[in-house]
């Protein structure tokens, strides 16, 4: 039923749009309800393309950095196990779901888009875990660990890096857009390759994901 609701919301932007259950190549242990590229049998017309640009359904794609962070958390569960975790800019919820699967005590997901929060809850249930949606990541009890992936697509978002440190004692950040974060508090943990799912044929440089850790204040 919730997949139908996600389809309905997607079709407000793209009338031909629909979702399908799929496992991103970069984190196949997690199943997500994402955009179905098979629905586009013909190129977008001008009005459709403009609508997609004006109101992008970010939640309907699993971006490269989210896949890398999710896979890394499943491989290194000690970073979130038994901790209260907040996923900032949850999108499809892949990172939040991975944290829950890795044994986090409580997982919160924050996103400006209400449909992204619906997608996150829907995807979490599909994977047998619970994720709590929150509208304001600054409210309530602070998390032990703050997770953020694919949120620096606009360089003007860099001040968020400091904001994250004021909210949690431990911050994990994954990004493929900026080769230099401009914040020496963030230390590189690993670099991995991944592609957005479904594949958007992005520049190769955007498929190289860097994972960082920073201590909070």
């Amino acid at each position: 039923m919730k997949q139908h609701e996600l389809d309905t919301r997607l079709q407000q932007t793209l009338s031909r749009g629909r979702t399908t259950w799929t496992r991103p190549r970069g984190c196949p242990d997690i199943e997500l309800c994402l955009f179905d590229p098979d629905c586009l049998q013909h190129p977008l017309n001008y009005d459709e393309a403009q609508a997609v640009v004006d109101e992008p359904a970010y939640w309907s794609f699993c971006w490269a950095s989210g896949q890398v962070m999710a896979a890394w958390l499943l491989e290194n569960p000690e970073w979130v196990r038994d901790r209260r975790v907040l996923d900032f800019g949850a999108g499809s919820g892949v990172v939040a779901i991975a944290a829950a699967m890795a044994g986090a005590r409580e997982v919160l997901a924050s996103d400006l888009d209400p449909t992204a929060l619906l997608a996150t809850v829907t995807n979490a249930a599909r994977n047998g875990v619970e994720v709590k949606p929150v509208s304001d990541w600054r409210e309530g009890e602070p998390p032990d660990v703050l997770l953020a992936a694919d949120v620096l697509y606009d360089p003007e978002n860099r001040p968020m890096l400091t904001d994250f440190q004021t909210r949690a004692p431990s911050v994990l950040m994954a990004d493929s857009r900026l080769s230099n974060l401009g914040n020496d508090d963030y230390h590189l943990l690993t670099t991995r390759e991944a592609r957005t799912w479904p594949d958007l044929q992005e520049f190769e440089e955007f498929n190289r994901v860097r994972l960082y850790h920073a201590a909070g204040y």
Side-chain angles (χ1 to χ4, degrees):
M1 185 64 180
K2 287 186 177 180
Q3 181 183 2
H4 175 72
E5 188 172 349
L6 290 173
D7 283 349
T8 299
R9 297 195 186 188
L10 181 61
Q11 288 161 8
Q12 293 173 1
T13 300
L14 181 62
S15 61
R16 289 181 281 160
R18 67 170 181 261
T19 61
T20 187
W21 289 101
T22 180
R23 293 180 181 271
R25 185 172 298 165
C27 52
D29 291 327
I30 297 176
E31 190 174 19
L32 301 171
C33 186
L34 300 175
F35 181 80
D36 183 358
D38 290 341
C39 72
L40 297 181
Q41 298 178 357
H42 306 286
L44 299 181
N45 61 42
Y46 175 81
D47 289 338
E48 288 176 328
Q50 193 61 45
V52 169
V53 170
D54 290 343
E55 298 183 42
Y58 292 119
W59 59 268
S60 66
F61 290 85
C62 191
W63 304 88
S65 296
Q67 293 178 59
V68 167
M69 181 177 281
W72 190 85
L73 287 174
L74 293 177
E75 295 166 10
N76 301 274
E78 66 275 9
W79 284 79
V80 294
R81 185 186 294 127
D82 298 325
R83 295 186 172 127
R84 190 170 194 264
V85 175
L86 170 70
D87 178 20
F88 174 87
S92 67
V94 64
V95 170
I97 292 166
M101 292 172 66
R105 171 170 53 86
E106 182 180 28
V107 180
L108 309 176
S110 171
D111 200 289
L112 291 174
D113 184 356
T115 305
L117 295 180
L118 174 63
T120 295
V121 171
T122 300
N123 290 329
R126 181 80 169 197
N127 289 276
V129 295
E130 182 180 2
V131 173
K132 298 179 182 178
V134 295
S135 57
D136 190 340
W137 65 284
R138 293 182 175 89
E139 293 185 351
E141 178 187 350
D144 301 309
V145 183
L146 189 148
L147 310 173
D150 298 301
V151 300
L152 298 181
Y153 46 85
D154 185 341
E156 293 186 3
N157 289 348
R158 278 181 176 172
M160 289 180 178
L161 296 173
T162 301
D163 293 341
F164 295 155
Q165 290 177 278
T166 65
R167 183 61 178 162
S170 182
V171 181
L172 287 170
M173 156 71 63
D175 179 70
S176 65
R177 304 290 165 162
L178 301 178
S179 59
N180 185 349
L181 294 183
N183 186 321
D184 293 338
D185 291 338
Y186 284 77
H187 303 286
L188 184 67
L189 295 175
T190 188
T191 301
R192 296 188 180 183
E193 299 286 329
R195 303 186 73 89
T196 297
W197 190 268
D199 195 351
L200 290 174
Q201 301 296 324
E202 295 180 288
F203 294 122
E204 287 300 321
E205 63 188 276
F206 295 152
N207 300 324
R208 187 172 299 107
V209 178
R210 290 164 287 276
L211 181 66
Y212 303 89
H213 174 257
Y217 297 135

